Amino acid sequence: MSSASPSSDFATRLRDAGLRPTRQRVALAGVLFEGGHRHVTAESLHAEVKATMIPVSLATVYNALNQFRDAGLLREVVVAPGRSYFDTNTGHHHHFFVETDNELLDFPSDDVTVGGVPAPPQGTKVSRVDVIVRVRR
């Protein structure tokens, strides 16, 4: 049985990712990562955090999500210009985007075969291919 508190676990996770575990980052990480894999927007996470009575601005949420993404803790999924979701599942997978509900759903990468990917520009390499299948209810 571990004697570490959940907040110290999140602090360690942030530290291991190269981020300073400020009080607000630890609180955001707790709300974000406690429930398993999911997709959030900055606005939806901000609303969740406000409901826990943790004082944090929307700008701080945006900054933290971008820092978490840059540190490899999250994956950003851009569904439209200016419309991003942050995915706690950083493993290789793809997404359905339910346009009528603004909902993002995972599906395994094994369910898709991508062919005909052009050769990348000289001096670069393909790091991954993201597939977003748009659906409507």
Side-chain angles (χ1 to χ4, degrees):
M1 183 166 161
S2 172
S3 62
S5 72
S7 65
S8 70
D9 292 343
F10 292 121
T12 299
R13 188 170 179 181
L14 293 173
R15 231 181 258 107
D16 289 348
L19 295 171
R20 192 167 58 90
T22 64
R23 184 179 57 79
Q24 288 181 318
R25 280 187 192 140
V26 171
L28 286 168
V31 171
L32 184 60
F33 295 112
E34 269 181 342
H37 293 310
R38 64 197 197 113
H39 307 100
V40 300
T41 63
E43 294 80 6
S44 69
L45 182 60
H46 182 246
E48 280 185 63
V49 172
K50 277 181 65 175
T52 66
M53 305 307 273
I54 299 167
V56 63
S57 70
L58 181 57
T60 298
V61 172
Y62 270 106
N63 289 337
L65 286 170
N66 287 317
Q67 291 162 349
F68 291 175
R69 179 205 57 215
D70 293 347
L73 297 172
L74 292 174
R75 185 169 144 188
E76 185 175 12
V77 180
V78 178
V79 297
R83 181 78 172 151
S84 291
Y85 288 81
F86 292 87
D87 190 347
T88 59
N89 179 359
T90 58
H92 189 61
H93 65 284
H94 301 295
H95 295 95
F96 286 111
F97 179 61
V98 186
E99 294 177 319
T100 48
D101 301 336
N102 288 317
E103 183 180 12
L104 206 58
L105 306 167
D106 293 346
F107 67 88
S109 59
D110 294 346
D111 290 354
V112 164
T113 301
V114 178
V117 176
Q122 187 173 354
T124 67
K125 65 179 184 170
V126 174
S127 63
R128 77 173 191 240
V129 174
D130 293 325
V131 174
I132 299 175
V133 178
R134 296 171 185 282
V135 298
R136 292 178 173 264
R137 292 196 198 278

